[in-house]
Amino acid sequence: YHAPDRTPLRKWLKSLQKPIAICCSNDNRAYQVMDIALKAGMAIPNDVAILGCDNDSMLCTFAPVPISSIDSDPFKLGYSAARILDALIRLSFIYSNKGEFALAKKYLKEPVEKNIPVALYKMGYIAFEEGAIENAINWYGRAAKNGFVPAYHQLGLIYETKEWGFQNDEKAFEFHKKAFEANDWDSAFRLGILYVSGRVPKCDQEQQKKMAMYYLQKALKSEEEDTRKKAKKLLDMLKQE
């Protein structure tokens, strides 16, 4: 329509067997088709009936011939789609908590395709529970890239722990630090542990103690009572040294 020469579209409209109905992707396009058709001498709607989408009341009402339009209500469609995805994720949580991972993964399929962070995180959890640690790292990594803070914490735990075969103190520190920067106080506790145990590279003993106390103090904000108790116990020990 916006091309300097509108002849091809005009020729195409003239070539169609009349009467004919044309459904356009939106009301702007419907207006444009109507404009070309009228200037080509076609009668609206006797020769060409035009249907738009989006129901732009101003455009449809004040067109040369009022345009009928489908009210697609994109906000309602978006809300309905979000509700469906939310229901699928909730079902996956129910089944994964029961240990029925095959069903949980089935319900997560569509949310995962939509790259929804909590769904990616849940796939990481399932992979971890199934013992597929490398897969868990991949899923948690995808969730973390989409800004899901708990995924940073889980990655920190995996890289912090020797028994799972992926121990890497630098990565553990990196991911716990990212989680802490988003106010994850449990990761603050893990950072304190890394400093207390001397697992933070390029850090002398005095700095280790100072940073350990800093993070353990922050860990006292944790919602987990057990984390708060452990952080306080370690803090008291460090203060007595």
Side-chain angles (χ1 to χ4, degrees):
Y1 175 80
H2 296 289
D5 185 5
R6 295 161 60 181
T7 303
L9 182 53
R10 184 168 59 250
K11 284 184 175 179
W12 175 75
L13 285 171
K14 283 186 172 182
S15 71
L16 299 174
Q17 185 176 352
K18 310 296 188 300
I20 191 168
I22 299 174
C23 181
C24 300
S25 58
N26 55 62
D27 294 331
N28 282 324
R29 188 64 63 197
Y31 187 98
Q32 292 161 358
V33 170
M34 177 181 290
D35 182 49
I36 293 173
L38 288 172
K39 287 177 179 177
M42 302 175 205
I44 308 291
N46 292 345
D47 294 329
V48 182
I50 299 170
L51 181 66
C53 280
D54 295 338
N55 198 26
D56 183 326
S57 58
M58 185 72 72
L59 191 62
C60 293
T61 300
F62 293 100
V65 178
I67 300 171
S68 296
S69 181
I70 298 169
D71 187 354
S72 57
D73 197 350
F75 294 104
K76 185 176 180 180
L77 285 174
Y79 179 76
S80 298
R83 285 190 64 184
I84 292 169
L85 290 171
D86 179 67
L88 291 172
I89 292 169
R90 288 177 185 273
L91 282 168
S92 76
F93 271 64
I94 291 170
Y95 284 111
S96 67
N97 290 340
K98 291 180 178 180
E100 298 180 36
F101 297 136
L103 274 173
K105 285 189 276 190
K106 174 185 174 183
Y107 287 111
L108 283 171
K109 183 179 179 182
E110 189 169 348
V112 163
E113 288 174 354
K114 303 295 183 187
N115 229 31
I116 295 175
V118 68
L120 300 172
Y121 177 84
K122 197 62 178 178
M123 286 295 292
Y125 167 82
I126 291 170
F128 184 86
E129 290 297 309
E130 291 178 331
I133 307 302
E134 192 167 0
N135 283 343
I137 290 172
N138 290 334
W139 286 114
Y140 284 140
R142 286 180 62 184
K145 285 179 181 177
N146 281 274
F148 197 67
V149 174
Y152 287 121
H153 179 76
Q154 291 303 124
L155 286 166
L157 288 176
I158 290 173
Y159 286 118
E160 184 184 344
T161 308
K162 185 177 180 180
E163 65 183 271
W164 296 321
F166 291 88
Q167 187 178 22
N168 184 316
D169 289 344
E170 288 188 14
K171 286 187 176 182
F173 181 85
E174 175 192 348
F175 286 116
H176 280 312
K177 185 81 181 301
K178 286 181 177 179
F180 166 73
E181 288 169 353
N183 296 330
D184 186 315
W185 308 123
D186 293 318
S187 274
F189 176 71
R190 300 316 308 174
L191 287 167
I193 292 293
L194 287 172
Y195 275 107
V196 167
S197 57
R199 291 168 59 183
V200 179
K202 299 179 182 179
C203 187
D204 60 37
Q205 191 171 358
E206 184 179 347
Q207 191 178 11
Q208 284 177 5
K209 181 178 178 180
K210 180 181 177 181
M211 295 307 297
M213 293 182 71
Y214 169 78
Y215 285 116
L216 291 171
Q217 188 68 41
K218 294 292 185 181
L220 296 177
K221 298 180 181 181
S222 172
E223 294 181 0
E224 298 293 329
E225 184 180 358
D226 187 54
T227 299
R228 295 196 304 272
K229 284 181 178 179
K230 289 178 179 178
K232 188 177 185 307
K233 184 177 180 180
L234 281 171
L235 270 172
D236 290 342
M237 289 173 59
L238 289 170
K239 288 175 182 178
Q240 291 172 7
E241 288 181 359

